[in-house]
Amino acid sequence: MRSILIVEDESSIRSFVVINLKRAGYNIYEAESGEEALVTLAANPDIRLALLDLMLPGMDGFELCRQIRAANPGMGIIMLTARTQEVDKVTGLMMGADDYVTKPFSPTELIARVDALFRRIGGEDDAERTEIRGGPFTLNTRNRTLTKNGELVKVTQVEYAIMKTFMENPGKALPREEIMSLVWGREDFGDLKIVDVNIRRLRLKIEEDTARPKYINTVWGYGYKWESNFSGGLDSR
């Protein structure tokens, strides 16, 4: 069963989230603090996704997100926050969150975000193709890993999905809206900042010089392009 950890100190909000996700078919674990969440995650390795409130007693959601991401790059993480300031959204994403939902939110919106992220971490790739290669990079679609010059690059499953989208479209300028649709499964295109921040985070992992990116180039006022001026291509071995 698909298991989720809900970390929320307000019992009314936590109950609301738990009831709706259970109705959607998810198995739920609950925690009221960051410290309790880490214990719960360690004891339940079947948890694949965490919903984290930003304002928690003791360890806040930012630090909890950072610790979860450091221990488990493949974990799906969605931040729940009442804050609307741009800096909070960016901080959460840079700490390793895959998505965020701003309170108040509807059950439909929350379930849609959770469903989309579970698809990203669930491995819905083409079973016939196991590798995509481009320049120094190899994307293994069977175990969902990325290597650069044979060295493993630790990426989240959203970052993996971004890399897959780029490497399947070498040299093509992709608008932010298309990247959001392909990676997050979102059609409303509300806040495209989530695309920019995740690409900024990915550049930190794959570029030699983020001030002069060689692989992911910005197409100003439009989106991004994966540079294909190196040898490589698709490999179906």
Side-chain angles (χ1 to χ4, degrees):
M1 182 177 286
R2 301 174 299 175
S3 296
I4 300 177
L5 172 64
I6 313 298
V7 189
E8 168 62 69
D9 62 315
E10 294 188 33
S11 60
S12 60
I13 297 176
R14 191 172 66 253
S15 297
F16 170 79
V17 173
V18 167
I19 288 171
N20 283 283
L21 288 177
K22 281 186 175 180
R23 287 174 178 170
Y26 289 97
N27 180 45
I28 305 299
Y29 295 89
E30 301 178 47
E32 297 183 11
S33 68
E35 293 79 4
E36 182 183 355
L38 293 176
V39 172
T40 302
L41 285 168
N44 299 279
D46 60 312
I47 297 173
R48 300 292 307 283
L49 189 150
L51 295 178
L52 313 180
D53 182 37
L54 180 59
M55 302 299 293
L56 293 169
M59 181 190 304
D60 66 16
F62 292 136
E63 177 59 19
L64 176 58
C65 179
R66 187 193 68 79
Q67 290 198 29
I68 292 175
R69 180 59 70 220
N72 190 344
M75 176 76 69
I77 300 176
I78 298 176
M79 301 292 291
L80 301 177
T81 175
R83 298 185 181 185
T84 57
Q85 290 92 336
E86 194 73 12
V87 64
D88 293 318
K89 297 176 182 178
V90 172
T91 300
L93 293 170
M94 290 303 292
M95 285 290 184
D98 299 302
D99 201 353
Y100 56 82
V101 179
T102 303
K103 301 174 185 176
F105 48 82
S106 69
T108 301
E109 178 190 10
L110 179 63
I111 292 168
R113 299 284 185 91
V114 170
D115 286 346
L117 185 52
F118 248 103
R119 287 195 296 271
R120 299 282 74 76
I121 66 180
E124 296 182 357
D125 288 312
D126 185 348
E128 295 183 358
R129 186 179 62 204
T130 60
E131 287 188 351
I132 306 174
R133 293 184 178 183
F137 298 98
T138 299
L139 201 69
N140 188 302
T141 63
R142 179 170 295 167
N143 57 28
R144 301 175 69 83
T145 58
L146 173 70
T147 58
K148 179 181 180 182
N149 295 318
E151 297 291 326
L152 182 67
V153 180
K154 292 184 178 181
V155 293
T156 69
Q157 290 305 305
V158 163
E159 291 165 352
Y160 164 88
I162 293 172
M163 282 294 295
K164 184 172 183 288
T165 297
F166 280 137
M167 293 178 70
E168 289 181 328
N169 295 277
K172 177 183 177 182
L174 298 171
R176 288 173 173 84
E177 293 85 353
E178 184 175 352
I179 295 171
M180 178 170 278
S181 177
L182 292 171
V183 174
W184 281 269
R186 196 179 307 172
E187 300 295 343
D188 59 0
F189 308 135
D191 187 353
L192 296 175
K193 177 62 68 176
I194 192 172
V195 176
D196 299 327
V197 176
N198 273 275
I199 288 178
R200 184 192 312 173
R201 199 172 68 192
L202 183 57
R203 279 175 169 162
L204 291 171
K205 298 181 179 183
I206 70 169
E207 299 281 1
E208 289 85 11
D209 182 358
T210 56
R212 297 178 178 83
K214 179 169 34 172
Y215 306 108
I216 303 176
N217 281 347
T218 300
V219 181
W220 295 107
Y222 186 75
Y224 298 92
K225 180 171 66 172
W226 179 256
E227 289 300 330
S228 57
N229 58 344
F230 43 69
S231 60
L234 299 184
D235 189 331
S236 59
R237 292 183 300 171

